[in-house]
């Protein structure tokens, strides 16, 4: 039988995502990809994968997954969650583990991920990756278009996700230390491209204001609620292209920040654009969180992007073995070489 | 050389804006620049997205600085010709039977034309593909003859079927998949503008030209069955000539 992870319960919205599908936006095909590409990379690094491999993106409520392989090594990076490893599908209690680590799970055992806290998304990577064919160069799921990932949709109970490897060699498990996934005090943004559609006072009050991430937010856009932003010249523009992090202001004045599954073009004026270095943090902000913006220059934004990518290139330095005494794992071989050489950060997609 | 301005859309994209309206001339500038940029194959450009009046250029500023990108665009603008367009010409079957063109009678009433005149006017034009957007493969084609330009419906439909041929303002579209829609439905085409499957693809590209060939309901159903079998092959007219030769 093909090694697989079997989905017993899918969680709220669990999809396969990688770093997205660039190159097809001129045909109306969105980028897609992980909402938090930093956590995705960290999850892959923990199990020795290429950093841009596809992993499960779990939103708000986690799935329950049975292992149908000799054994499999998984990692969990992102929001906090109660994760239980149960001995079999009939069990109701098992061993509780933390996120931000790897773990080896045996055939028949069950991984139960509860509700997330402190963030909207959690990434579950599997050593060796999922055996899923890429569509247009990516395994990211594009829900609205119904393609990519696992059958173009969110996971459902009964799905069996094939794995590239049927076993995971015994070795020390690892955790990632010092990865700062806290919500930023302010999300930094560059003004425009349609600043002409707003008065200076409105722009100033947008940057001074505070907004709440509302229900209705999804992988396409984060809907905000706060003091409405008034338009100076109406709220319809002739459609133009949409960058990641574009903050569009529709007729009701409540901004929407466009995320991974954003439409490629749109007809609302965009007051500002979240800088690329802050997109991963934005992607993990859950509904109900408050958000405020800080205006920065493009030079500052690009320096912050450079900093973020040098941090990503050094992500391996944050990975440390968990001492065997701290786990109930079988004796493991120390294999410190595993982590070096896995960091291929040259896919600079955010 | 056309007038244009460059606007930052964050730190990894710029908008090269030629104007603010839907205008065939602006569109040809946009597509000519897109073509030149694609041909220049600059390291650091991720992709370009043409729209009615602007070109969005996604780039990586850690490879190509904003200033160098703007300078290269200024160079490429020199001597830019509106004739630099490499679009293909397509003839797409369209069924305007009222069974599938649910708003045909309504459009006729609103425009003061007969349904036959609406069909005749709509199918007499060679349309220009301004851009793709909204849904994968969805082409915005124009310009619809001025007699047929109508604002969107007051109450959008929650769902229209894939293949719906519709008009709103100066644009006409075949909607590639089921979607909510506020446009006026005047027919349906059996041609999939977006092919699903393991190797999905968009039929049309920005800059292409499209003629609609009216077909009967019966012919539409025959072509639709062929499309379902995967045997409805649609080629651009020049390639179709080559294929037949």
């Amino acid at each position: 039988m093909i090694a697989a992870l079997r989905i017993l319960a899918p969680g709220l919205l669990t999809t396969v995502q990688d770093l997205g599908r660039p190159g097809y936006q001129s045909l109306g095909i969105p980028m897609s990809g992980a909402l938090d590409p930093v956590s995705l990379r960290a999850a892959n690094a923990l199990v020795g994968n290429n950093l841009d491999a596809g992993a499960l993106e779990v939103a708000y409520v986690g799935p329950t997954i049975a292992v149908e392989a000799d054994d499999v090594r998984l990692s969990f990076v992102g929001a906090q969650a109660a994760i239980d490893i149960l001995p079999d599908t009939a069990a109701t209690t098992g061993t509780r583990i933390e996120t931000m680590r790897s773990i080896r799970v045996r055939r028949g055992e069950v991984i139960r991920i509860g509700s997330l806290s402190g963030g909207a998304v959690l990434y579950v990577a599997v050593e060796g990756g999922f055996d899923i064919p890429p569509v247009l160069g990516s395994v990211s799921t594009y829900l609205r278009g119904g393609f990519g990932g696992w059958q173009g949709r969110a996971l459902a109970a009964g799905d069996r996700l094939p794995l590239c490897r049927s076993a995971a060699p015994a070795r020390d498990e690892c955790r990632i230390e010092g990865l700062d996934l806290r919500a930023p005090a302010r999300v930094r943004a560059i003004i425009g491209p349609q600043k002409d559609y707003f008065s200076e006072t409105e722009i100033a009050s947008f940057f001074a204001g505070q907004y709440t991430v509302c229900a209705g937010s999804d992988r396409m856009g984060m809907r905000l609620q706060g003091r409405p932003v008034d338009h100076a010249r109406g709220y319809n523009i002739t459609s133009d292209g949409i960058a990641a992090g574009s903050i569009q202001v529709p007729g009701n004045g409540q901004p929407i920040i466009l995320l991974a599954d954003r439409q490629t073009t749109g007809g609302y004026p965009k007051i500002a654009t979240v800088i690329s270095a802050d997109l991963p943090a934005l992607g993990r902000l859950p509904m109900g969180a408050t958000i405020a913006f800080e205006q920065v220059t493009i030079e500052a934004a690009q320096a912050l992007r450079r900093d973020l990518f040098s941090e990503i290139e050094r992500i391996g330095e944050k990975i440390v073995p968990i001492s065997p005494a701290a786990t109930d794992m079988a004796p493991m071989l120390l294999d410190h070489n595993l982590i070096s050489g896995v960091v291929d950060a040259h896919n600079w997609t955010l | 050389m056309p007038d244009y301005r460059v606007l930052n859309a964050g730190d990894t994209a710029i908008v090269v804006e030629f104007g603010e309206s839907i205008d065939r001339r602006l569109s040809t500038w946009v597509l000519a620049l897109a073509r030149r940029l694609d041909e220049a194959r600059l390291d650091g450009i991720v992709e370009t997205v043409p729209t009615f009046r602007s070109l969005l250029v996604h780039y990586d500023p850690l490879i190509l600085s904003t200033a160098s990108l703007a300078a290269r665009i200024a160079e490429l603008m020199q001597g830019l010709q509106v004739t630099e367009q490499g679009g293909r010409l397509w003839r797409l079957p369209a069924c305007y039977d009222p069974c599938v063109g649910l708003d045909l009678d309504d459009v006729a009433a609103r425009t003061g034309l007969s349904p036959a005149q609406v069909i005749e006017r709509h199918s007499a034009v060679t349309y220009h593909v301004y851009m793709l957007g909204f849904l994968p493969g969805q082409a915005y084609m124009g310009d619809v003859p001025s007699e047929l330009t109508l604002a969107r419906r007051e109450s959008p439909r929650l769902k229209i079927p894939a293949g719906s041929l519709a008009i709103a303002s100066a644009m006409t579209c075949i909607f590639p998949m089921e979607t909510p829609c506020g446009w006026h439905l005047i027919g349906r085409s059996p041609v999939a503008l977006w092919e699903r499957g393991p190797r999905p693809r968009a039929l049309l590209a920005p800059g292409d030209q499209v003629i609609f060939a009216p077909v009967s309901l019966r012919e539409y159903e025959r072509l639709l069955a062929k499309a379902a079998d995967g045997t409805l092959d649609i080629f651009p007219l020049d390639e179709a000539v080559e294929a037949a030769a």
Side-chain angles (χ1 to χ4, degrees), chain A residues 203-227:
Chain A
I203 291 172
S205 76
F206 167 76
F207 279 104
Q210 197 158 47
Y211 294 87
T212 306
V213 179
C214 333
S217 297
D218 58 16
R219 286 184 39 83
M220 198 169 165
M222 178 180 279
R223 293 168 177 274
L224 303 182
Q225 183 142 36
R227 197 195 69 84

Short mmCIF file of all heavy atoms in Angstrom, two decimals, chain A residues 203-227:
data_model
loop_
_atom_site.label_atom_id
_atom_site.label_comp_id
_atom_site.label_asym_id
_atom_site.label_seq_id
_atom_site.Cartn_x
_atom_site.Cartn_y
_atom_site.Cartn_z
N ILE A 203 -5.30 60.01 4.27
CA ILE A 203 -4.13 59.13 4.32
C ILE A 203 -3.52 59.17 5.72
O ILE A 203 -3.21 58.14 6.32
CB ILE A 203 -3.11 59.53 3.24
CG1 ILE A 203 -3.69 59.21 1.85
CG2 ILE A 203 -1.78 58.80 3.44
CD1 ILE A 203 -2.87 59.73 0.68
N ALA A 204 -3.43 60.38 6.28
CA ALA A 204 -2.86 60.53 7.63
C ALA A 204 -3.72 59.79 8.64
O ALA A 204 -3.20 59.09 9.52
CB ALA A 204 -2.75 62.00 7.99
N SER A 205 -5.05 59.87 8.52
CA SER A 205 -5.88 59.22 9.53
C SER A 205 -5.89 57.70 9.33
O SER A 205 -6.03 56.94 10.28
CB SER A 205 -7.28 59.82 9.59
OG SER A 205 -8.04 59.37 8.52
N PHE A 206 -5.69 57.26 8.09
CA PHE A 206 -5.55 55.81 7.85
C PHE A 206 -4.32 55.29 8.62
O PHE A 206 -4.39 54.27 9.31
CB PHE A 206 -5.41 55.52 6.35
CG PHE A 206 -4.95 54.13 6.04
CD1 PHE A 206 -5.83 53.06 6.14
CD2 PHE A 206 -3.63 53.89 5.66
CE1 PHE A 206 -5.40 51.77 5.87
CE2 PHE A 206 -3.20 52.59 5.39
CZ PHE A 206 -4.09 51.53 5.50
N PHE A 207 -3.21 56.01 8.53
CA PHE A 207 -1.99 55.56 9.20
C PHE A 207 -2.06 55.76 10.72
O PHE A 207 -1.33 55.12 11.47
CB PHE A 207 -0.75 56.23 8.62
CG PHE A 207 -0.29 55.58 7.33
CD1 PHE A 207 -0.52 56.18 6.09
CD2 PHE A 207 0.35 54.35 7.35
CE1 PHE A 207 -0.12 55.58 4.90
CE2 PHE A 207 0.76 53.72 6.17
CZ PHE A 207 0.53 54.34 4.96
N ALA A 208 -2.96 56.65 11.16
CA ALA A 208 -3.10 56.86 12.61
C ALA A 208 -4.13 55.91 13.21
O ALA A 208 -4.18 55.73 14.43
CB ALA A 208 -3.51 58.30 12.88
N GLY A 209 -4.93 55.29 12.38
CA GLY A 209 -6.08 54.52 12.86
C GLY A 209 -5.73 53.12 13.30
O GLY A 209 -4.61 52.63 13.12
N GLN A 210 -6.73 52.48 13.92
CA GLN A 210 -6.57 51.10 14.32
C GLN A 210 -7.72 50.29 13.73
O GLN A 210 -8.85 50.77 13.68
CB GLN A 210 -6.60 51.00 15.84
CG GLN A 210 -6.02 49.69 16.32
CD GLN A 210 -5.55 49.77 17.75
OE1 GLN A 210 -6.27 50.28 18.60
NE2 GLN A 210 -4.36 49.26 18.02
N TYR A 211 -7.41 49.11 13.25
CA TYR A 211 -8.41 48.30 12.56
C TYR A 211 -8.46 46.91 13.19
O TYR A 211 -7.49 46.44 13.77
CB TYR A 211 -8.06 48.19 11.07
CG TYR A 211 -8.16 49.52 10.37
CD1 TYR A 211 -7.08 50.40 10.34
CD2 TYR A 211 -9.35 49.92 9.79
CE1 TYR A 211 -7.17 51.63 9.74
CE2 TYR A 211 -9.47 51.16 9.18
CZ TYR A 211 -8.37 52.02 9.15
OH TYR A 211 -8.48 53.24 8.57
N THR A 212 -9.63 46.30 13.03
CA THR A 212 -9.80 44.93 13.52
C THR A 212 -9.93 44.00 12.31
O THR A 212 -10.60 44.34 11.34
CB THR A 212 -11.09 44.83 14.37
OG1 THR A 212 -11.02 45.82 15.38
CG2 THR A 212 -11.24 43.46 15.01
N VAL A 213 -9.27 42.84 12.39
CA VAL A 213 -9.40 41.83 11.34
C VAL A 213 -10.75 41.15 11.51
O VAL A 213 -11.03 40.59 12.56
CB VAL A 213 -8.27 40.78 11.44
CG1 VAL A 213 -8.41 39.73 10.35
CG2 VAL A 213 -6.89 41.46 11.39
N CYS A 214 -11.62 41.25 10.51
CA CYS A 214 -12.98 40.74 10.71
C CYS A 214 -13.22 39.39 10.09
O CYS A 214 -12.49 38.93 9.22
CB CYS A 214 -14.06 41.60 10.06
SG CYS A 214 -13.81 43.22 9.82
N ALA A 215 -14.36 38.83 10.53
CA ALA A 215 -14.88 37.61 9.92
C ALA A 215 -15.10 37.91 8.44
O ALA A 215 -15.38 39.06 8.07
CB ALA A 215 -16.20 37.25 10.58
N GLY A 216 -14.99 36.90 7.62
CA GLY A 216 -15.10 37.14 6.18
C GLY A 216 -13.71 37.23 5.57
O GLY A 216 -13.56 37.18 4.35
N SER A 217 -12.68 37.35 6.42
CA SER A 217 -11.31 37.32 5.90
C SER A 217 -11.01 35.90 5.45
O SER A 217 -11.46 34.93 6.05
CB SER A 217 -10.33 37.72 7.01
OG SER A 217 -10.58 39.04 7.42
N ASP A 218 -10.27 35.78 4.38
CA ASP A 218 -9.90 34.44 3.90
C ASP A 218 -8.54 34.51 3.22
O ASP A 218 -7.83 35.51 3.37
CB ASP A 218 -10.99 33.88 2.97
CG ASP A 218 -11.25 34.79 1.77
OD1 ASP A 218 -10.41 35.67 1.48
OD2 ASP A 218 -12.29 34.62 1.11
N ARG A 219 -8.20 33.47 2.47
CA ARG A 219 -6.88 33.45 1.84
C ARG A 219 -6.76 34.50 0.74
O ARG A 219 -5.67 34.81 0.30
CB ARG A 219 -6.61 32.04 1.26
CG ARG A 219 -6.29 30.99 2.33
CD ARG A 219 -5.93 29.66 1.72
NE ARG A 219 -5.12 29.82 0.53
CZ ARG A 219 -3.80 30.00 0.53
NH1 ARG A 219 -3.13 30.00 1.66
NH2 ARG A 219 -3.16 30.17 -0.61
N MET A 220 -7.88 35.01 0.30
CA MET A 220 -7.87 36.01 -0.76
C MET A 220 -7.63 37.40 -0.17
O MET A 220 -6.82 38.17 -0.69
CB MET A 220 -9.23 35.96 -1.45
CG MET A 220 -9.31 36.57 -2.80
SD MET A 220 -10.91 36.06 -3.51
CE MET A 220 -10.98 37.22 -4.85
N GLY A 221 -8.33 37.72 0.89
CA GLY A 221 -8.20 39.06 1.44
C GLY A 221 -8.52 39.12 2.92
O GLY A 221 -9.33 38.33 3.42
N MET A 222 -7.84 40.05 3.60
CA MET A 222 -8.09 40.28 5.02
C MET A 222 -8.97 41.51 5.13
O MET A 222 -8.58 42.60 4.72
CB MET A 222 -6.75 40.49 5.72
CG MET A 222 -6.86 40.79 7.19
SD MET A 222 -5.21 41.04 7.91
CE MET A 222 -4.70 39.35 8.14
N ARG A 223 -10.19 41.30 5.65
CA ARG A 223 -11.13 42.42 5.75
C ARG A 223 -10.95 43.13 7.07
O ARG A 223 -10.93 42.50 8.11
CB ARG A 223 -12.56 41.90 5.62
CG ARG A 223 -12.83 41.36 4.25
CD ARG A 223 -14.11 40.59 4.13
NE ARG A 223 -14.26 40.20 2.74
CZ ARG A 223 -14.82 40.97 1.81
NH1 ARG A 223 -15.32 42.16 2.14
NH2 ARG A 223 -14.88 40.56 0.57
N LEU A 224 -10.82 44.45 6.99
CA LEU A 224 -10.58 45.23 8.20
C LEU A 224 -11.81 46.07 8.52
O LEU A 224 -12.59 46.42 7.63
CB LEU A 224 -9.38 46.16 7.99
CG LEU A 224 -8.06 45.47 7.61
CD1 LEU A 224 -6.95 46.51 7.49
CD2 LEU A 224 -7.69 44.39 8.62
N GLN A 225 -11.94 46.36 9.82
CA GLN A 225 -13.00 47.26 10.23
C GLN A 225 -12.43 48.32 11.15
O GLN A 225 -11.68 48.00 12.08
CB GLN A 225 -14.10 46.48 10.95
CG GLN A 225 -15.27 47.37 11.33
CD GLN A 225 -16.58 46.65 11.14
OE1 GLN A 225 -16.67 45.45 11.37
NE2 GLN A 225 -17.60 47.37 10.71
N GLY A 226 -12.78 49.55 10.89
CA GLY A 226 -12.30 50.67 11.70
C GLY A 226 -12.96 51.92 11.16
O GLY A 226 -14.00 51.85 10.51
N ARG A 227 -12.33 53.06 11.42
CA ARG A 227 -12.88 54.30 10.87
C ARG A 227 -12.82 54.22 9.34
O ARG A 227 -11.75 53.95 8.79
CB ARG A 227 -12.08 55.50 11.37
CG ARG A 227 -12.80 56.83 11.21
CD ARG A 227 -11.83 58.00 11.38
NE ARG A 227 -10.88 58.08 10.28
CZ ARG A 227 -11.12 58.70 9.12
NH1 ARG A 227 -12.28 59.28 8.91
NH2 ARG A 227 -10.21 58.72 8.17
#
